Amino acid sequence: MAKKQFKAESKRLLDLMINSIYTHKEIFLRELISNASDAMDKLYYKSLASDNTGLSREDFQIFLEVNRDARTLTISDNGIGMTKEELENNLGTIAKSGSLLFKNEQLKNEEGEQPQADIDIIGQFGVGFYSAFMVADKVTVVSKAFGEEQAWQWESTGADGYTVSQAEKDGHGTEITLTLKSNTEDEAYDEFLSEYKIRGLIKKYSDYIRYPIRMMVEKSRPKEKPEGAPEDAAPEYETYQELETLNSMVPLWKKSKSELSEEDYNNFYKEKFYDFKDPAKVIHTSVEGVVSYTALLFIPGVAPFNYYSKDFEKGLQLYSSGVMIMDKCADLLPDCFSFVRGLVDSQDLSLNISREMLQHDRQLKAIASRLEKKIQSELLSMQKNDRDAYDEFFKNFGLQLKYGVYEGYGAKKDLLADLLMFYSSTEKKPMTLSEYVGRMRPDQKCIYYACGENTERIDKLPQTELLKEKGYEILYLTDNVDEFALKVMHDYDEKEFKSVADENLEIQQTEEEKEAAEKLAEENKELLELMKGALGDKVTEVRLSHRLKSHPVCIASGSDMSLEMEKVLSSMPGGEDSFKAEKVLELNASHPILKALQKAYADDKEKVKAYAQLLYNQALLIEGMPVEDPVEFSNAICDLMV
């Protein structure tokens, strides 16, 4: 029988289809099963339109058969089948899709009673069939069209062409037999004859195909004990075969929420995403519009062990009409919500011919935008209605939200601002920015914050003393990213963020207090200039402070870069000398240390210089910053003592 050539520009095009379009060989089974599902959909839709087939959806099935000795894998369906002409057209012409033609014909049929929305055909590109040649040396297709007497066989070994001949087949439908390639050093094609592997591929890609996918599987059972055998004799086992359905068929996310219990969601999450703990939040939503989709999302109850490492990979599973297209579609989630697990199912996505990548990103961006807002609203709902659960969530993933504010020059700050929490000096627990603003004093202009390694150390900072005495609430920032995030945000609800270490805390003073401060500063001008000279470029200024109460000294920041930001940036590789905050040494105007300085200035100006170094190093230690010369600092203390 003479071979016929493929109706394409060249044999090279088929080679491209087989070797370049798909990135994973294993998806051949997904493509062939999807094609079988299409064939049964076509016959089912035809039965609805003509009402003379005598078939219901329950009559359809896909059957898999493995022959290890012959190295064959067979995929059969009892769908609409193909005539000789359809075999020629659909399998002999690369990239011609019978499914797409059928769908277009149905949509054009204005007299048909079947609603257009139900025309859900998976394959539209006509190349999925050829993925079989990635794993097979030979592909044999036997098909019998519904209502026809004659079956036909299409057979090909690849780019050399194909043959079409008469064949025998009981019943309508299509049977595709793959003769698998021999193993190589790089590829073990035998694995596609393994029941375990086939089960895994069905579960991964085709678990929600609407028709049952069945296969004879080998099982074992204990034999009956022969008469007279001892009771404690070890049982003997025999193997037998049993027809088993490999797929669950109905996606959980396609069910109505009223049909599902909390346990259903929890079990699905733990099984699907390999977690041991129930999710903290379930988001099940369906959207109709320019792009229609169903999403089933989960907020994990605990952060994955590698979440804050470079090994963590974000993304949602992406399905098209129940068939998994991508395991981790990163474009569906912003980095700030990378902790979300789940899936999105849409039949409206423009996929490329391999169905592994999106052809255009417009639909994907539309879905991602809607999901982003939905996740935010659900987290705000948790924050409002189940605060204990939200507190636990924030312990796990709050750091990621803060990074999300800082990244992209604050592009997501409006999305995330209401989700943030920081430890409160007055409430002694994490609070939201909204809660802080709601408690602000009428005369308060700023949201005050202080930075440090932990809340205990921050609480003892000299700069916090006056604010706490006056009844101002302070947010304690303990994560490295905290201040960077607030700097990017700048303000919340038109209230500017203000560090307790800033030069101007904008605390109201009476005219008498201002005049007294100015007078005292003028009286000690030469003393302060001498101290500044002794410290050189370590500080930009030495001045008297009225923010300190019991502490003698502190360091304030004289620029946008704070002391805490300097510590963080300097700790990074190569940042030791690259980032320096402007430091202002502040002396407590009401502390006895000022009188000691005044006396030293009158008696021994060299001692003032030594005092200046001591006070500067003391202020550094209070801030948790290293002194530049610990030995010199220690010797200076000893000199004063003796």
Side-chain angles (χ1 to χ4, degrees), residues 197-313:
K197 180 66 173 181
I198 290 172
R199 282 178 179 275
L201 294 180
I202 299 297
K203 195 72 177 174
K204 181 176 181 180
Y205 292 110
S206 306
D207 196 34
Y208 306 114
I209 290 289
R210 68 187 64 171
Y211 304 105
I213 303 170
R214 297 192 168 114
M215 184 171 72
M216 294 296 294
V217 297
E218 195 170 89
K219 297 190 174 183
S220 62
R221 60 191 171 197
K223 292 182 179 179
E224 290 187 13
K225 289 184 179 181
E227 290 186 15
E231 287 294 326
D232 58 349
E236 295 183 13
Y237 289 85
E238 61 181 359
T239 60
Y240 67 100
Q241 288 194 321
E242 182 176 283
L243 188 63
E244 188 172 307
T245 300
L246 305 180
N247 61 323
S248 58
M249 290 179 280
V250 181
L252 179 133
W253 61 87
K254 290 290 187 181
K255 296 179 180 179
S256 169
K257 292 181 185 179
S258 60
E259 298 179 59
L260 300 168
S261 65
E262 182 179 354
E263 185 179 7
D264 292 329
Y265 285 121
N266 292 345
N267 290 340
F268 176 86
Y269 167 74
K270 288 187 285 191
E271 177 184 347
K272 192 77 171 175
F273 299 100
Y274 309 107
D275 202 345
F276 65 92
K277 189 172 182 179
D278 291 341
K281 182 78 174 177
V282 178
I283 304 171
H284 189 179
T285 180
S286 294
V287 175
E288 301 288 338
V290 177
V291 180
S292 299
Y293 66 89
T294 298
L296 182 55
L297 311 178
F298 301 92
I299 309 295
V302 64
F305 72 94
N306 64 341
Y307 181 66
Y308 289 106
S309 76
K310 63 180 181 180
D311 297 327
F312 181 79
E313 186 180 0

Side-chain angles (χ1 to χ4, degrees), residues 297 311-319 325-344 349 356-358 361 364-365 367-369 371-372 375 400 412:
L297 311 178
D311 297 327
F312 181 79
E313 186 180 0
K314 72 166 183 172
L316 301 177
Q317 291 183 345
L318 181 62
Y319 287 79
I325 306 304
M326 296 177 68
D327 187 37
K328 288 187 181 293
C329 184
D331 292 335
L332 284 170
L333 286 175
D335 287 344
C336 58
F337 292 152
S338 60
F339 50 82
V340 176
R341 290 174 167 177
L343 55 91
V344 171
L349 292 172
E356 290 187 296
M357 296 166 57
L358 295 176
D361 63 356
L364 196 68
K365 286 182 177 179
I367 294 176
S369 178
L371 291 179
E372 187 178 273
I375 294 168
Q400 186 64 25
K412 301 292 184 185

